[in-house]
Every structure is written in C-alpha cells, then in structure tokens.
Amino acid sequence: MGQKRKDKAKAKAKDKKHSEPSKDKAAAKISHHGLDSLGGSEREIDHPAELLDDLLEGGQQKRQRLNKKLYESELVRLQTELVKMQYWIRDTGYRMIVLFEGRDAAGKGGTIKRLTEPLNPRGCRVVALGTPTERQKSQWYFQRYVEHFPAAGEIVVFDRSWYNRAGVERVMGFCTPEQVEQFLEDAPKFERMLVRSGILLLKYWFSVSDTEQEIRFQSRIDDPTRRWKLSPMDLEARNRWVDFSRAKDEMFNRTNIPEAPWFTVEADDKRRARLNCLRHVLGKVPWEDMTPPAIELPPRPKQGDYTRPPINEQFFVPNTYPYS
C-alpha cells in the first residue's frame, strides 16, 4: 500500500513538472503574449494582494530593477493597447474613473503620465485638486469631485481623490475625527451609487517602502528642476509614517467593497509599477479593437495664386540653434 502511494506521488510530481513552464518561458510568454486576452471577453481574475502593508517583513528588500529595454518595449505595446481601448470607450459611451492614492513619492505621477500621454486629451482628463477654498469647505464633501466626473465616452484620472479625508487630512489634523468617521461611512455608499450608474471605478494604492521613499526624496532635493515636488507638508508627513500606515489600514478595511475594491501596486521599482498598473487597467475594461482604418491622403488640390508677405515684415524667434 505504501509503495503504491509513493508511485502515485512520483507520477503526480512528474506530470506537474512537465505541465508547468519554466520561469524563463513564463516571462517570455508575458512579454510577447501578455495582452492577447485583454482585448476581448476574457478578463484577468483578481486575487487579494500578498502585501497590503508597507511595513510587512520583507517589504524593504532591494529588488533588481526591470531591464530598461524591456520596460520601454512593453510600455510602447501597452500604450498602443490603451489607445485602442480609448477608441472603444468613446464609441460605446463608456464612463471610467481611475484614482491614484499612496504616499508621497510613491510613483503615482509617473504612472499617470504614462497612462494618459498616448490618449486623446479630449476624452481623457487628469484631475489634481488643490486645497479647498472656504466655500468648498462649506459644501458637501464629495461635491467638488463630482463636478469633474466623466460624461459618456470619457476617462477621468484623479491624482489623489476624495480619499484625502481618510489619509492626508486625517493624519495632518485638517479634519475632525467625526468628519473622518462620516467619510468612512459615506464613501462605500457613494461609490456603489457610481457603479450602479454605469461608471467603472478603479482604485489604486501605490505602496512604497520607507527606504525607497527616502531615496526619492533626496533625489528631488538634489535636482533643482524637481524640488517643487517636495513641500514642507511632505516632510511633515514623512515624520508620521506609522500614522499613515494605520490610517491606510483602516481606510482599506472600511472602503474595500466588491463593487470598487482597492488594488495595491508594489511601487519600489517604478518601471514594474507602471507596467503592472497599465496592464491591469487594460484588463478591467471589456474593450474590443475599434481602431478606425487609416485615412488616405488625397493629392492636395490647387490653391490658386498666393503671394507670401515680405519676410522682413514678420517677427521671428531667433534661431539660437542653427542647422549645421
């Protein structure tokens, strides 16, 4: 009896070995065919993230950065698919909201840039609201966000969103505990209303380790063109790392609903974070390729007589960089 069990176990292990591709083959498959299923009815299956807390053991291990050539080739491919997706969204009247949350220097801005740069700005807007005015403070909390919501065929990307109340405002003391509690009660109801109305709501949390955040802060200090990205408020938030972790944990517990779950993006490697997020967005929209056919340029018709005004009557920008 014991021998039969051993033989069965060996046979099972052998079958598993032959059925599972090697890591190299799997990586090649993702690289070359990773989006084959994203443009039709087949969708990705969501699983809870293994790392939901920035402070979990192993979260600060240094990982090798994604190869630049692979990153650039994958980015071009994903952005091409995003353009196809936008054609479908425009033609079907689909409405979509994508919001990005996370700590300072977590990589939200870079991912938003890669998401939106290939898209038609007439159908895709980025909303990054500043400090509310006194009038806005007297409004219903969600009111100033609602006015930016998409119409048919539009995508709206929020660079930080109504979740400011559960994060920055709470930790920095810009609102009362009662206001935080009211928000955590209202947000799931508010988002269910959005989803019931036909809006796709995607919520991304960019998770970065304290070590990596420190490196990125220092790089902003060292680069004069990027110092504007680091404010005194960012430095104060840096001192409250654990407070932000606790606030994020409660936010997840109270607002992670089936209709609009939170998706965590591991963001210590910016390249991987961008590609993973873009690919995930593509997998969440049931788009089909509706790219219009290329337009043929006919011969330019004759325009008739035209005489250009004298050049010395026009003002030109000085040619500081002349042709060689």
Side-chain angles (χ1 to χ4, degrees):
M1 192 73 178
Q3 186 61 39
K4 284 184 179 180
R5 286 181 180 175
K6 287 181 180 179
D7 293 341
K8 272 189 176 181
K10 285 181 180 179
K12 190 174 180 181
K14 188 176 181 181
D15 291 341
K16 186 177 180 182
K17 183 178 179 182
H18 288 294
S19 63
E20 292 183 349
S22 67
K23 287 185 179 179
D24 292 340
K25 289 182 179 179
K29 187 176 180 182
I30 290 172
S31 176
H32 296 291
H33 305 290
L35 289 176
D36 287 354
S37 65
L38 297 186
S41 58
E42 189 178 346
R43 298 288 122 194
E44 291 182 341
I45 299 173
D46 298 320
H47 299 284
E50 293 180 3
L51 294 175
L52 290 180
D53 195 316
D54 302 335
L55 299 178
L56 283 179
E57 186 178 351
Q60 297 186 19
Q61 291 178 356
K62 189 67 177 176
R63 300 179 183 179
Q64 187 176 1
R65 198 177 185 191
L66 185 67
N67 176 271
K68 186 176 181 180
K69 286 187 177 179
L70 174 60
Y71 164 71
E72 290 176 346
S73 64
E74 285 294 289
L75 181 61
V76 169
R77 190 165 63 87
L78 290 169
Q79 288 184 331
T80 302
E81 298 295 296
L82 286 169
V83 173
K84 295 177 184 177
M85 181 190 78
Q86 189 183 28
Y87 277 122
W88 180 87
I89 288 174
R90 185 198 64 185
D91 291 349
T92 60
Y94 202 72
R95 291 175 296 162
M96 180 175 174
I97 295 175
V98 189
L99 61 86
F100 290 81
E101 294 288 343
R103 298 178 188 274
D104 299 313
K108 302 180 294 297
T111 303
I112 291 171
K113 180 180 178 181
R114 272 71 181 183
L115 172 66
T116 58
E117 67 183 355
L119 302 181
N120 185 339
R122 292 183 179 88
C124 178
R125 291 179 283 115
V126 177
V127 178
L129 300 182
T131 304
T133 63
E134 290 302 316
R135 181 175 181 275
Q136 289 171 332
K137 289 177 182 179
S138 69
Q139 295 174 341
W140 175 50
Y141 177 71
F142 296 96
Q143 188 168 334
R144 73 184 188 125
Y145 297 99
V146 171
E147 65 184 53
H148 297 282
F149 279 10
E154 292 182 347
I155 304 168
V156 173
V157 178
F158 279 94
D159 186 353
R160 296 197 184 277
S161 65
W162 47 91
Y163 281 100
N164 270 341
R165 174 134 296 179
V168 174
E169 291 186 17
R170 177 181 187 173
V171 175
M172 303 304 292
F174 296 149
C175 61
T176 66
E178 292 75 21
Q179 288 175 319
V180 174
E181 181 59 30
Q182 185 68 57
F183 170 81
L184 294 173
E185 285 285 335
D186 292 345
K189 301 172 187 176
F190 173 67
E191 291 171 6
R192 287 188 182 103
M193 289 171 57
L194 301 184
V195 175
R196 281 199 301 269
S197 74
I199 295 176
L200 172 65
L201 176 60
L202 297 177
K203 304 187 301 192
Y204 291 104
W205 175 270
F206 277 64
S207 177
V208 64
S209 66
D210 55 352
T211 304
E212 181 62 26
Q213 186 191 54
E214 198 78 2
I215 293 171
R216 294 178 187 178
F217 276 0
Q218 190 59 53
S219 70
R220 292 180 178 184
I221 293 170
D222 296 339
D223 185 352
T225 65
R226 299 172 67 233
R227 283 181 193 159
W228 61 269
K229 290 188 173 185
L230 196 61
S231 68
M233 190 64 64
D234 297 332
L235 297 179
E236 182 58 33
R238 170 177 170 268
N239 297 333
R240 307 188 188 191
W241 180 277
V242 174
D243 292 337
F244 268 100
S245 288
R246 290 181 179 135
K248 184 262 296 185
D249 290 343
E250 185 175 3
M251 181 183 79
F252 270 35
N253 289 333
R254 301 282 294 276
T255 63
N256 189 40
I257 58 176
E259 296 87 346
W262 279 102
F263 296 104
T264 299
V265 180
E266 292 184 69
D268 270 10
D269 180 357
K270 290 181 180 181
R271 293 172 183 170
R272 284 187 171 88
R274 292 165 185 170
L275 297 182
N276 288 334
C277 188
L278 266 55
R279 190 178 187 280
H280 192 266
V281 170
L282 285 163
K284 287 297 168 188
V285 180
W287 61 276
E288 297 177 5
D289 190 352
M290 300 179 72
T291 307
I295 299 173
E296 289 188 18
L297 285 177
R300 191 191 299 274
K302 292 183 179 181
Q303 304 294 315
D305 295 333
Y306 170 75
T307 302
R308 184 175 180 177
I311 292 180
N312 60 2
E313 294 180 3
Q314 304 173 43
F315 292 100
F316 285 85
V317 174
N319 191 4
T320 309
Y321 308 95
Y323 296 102
S324 57

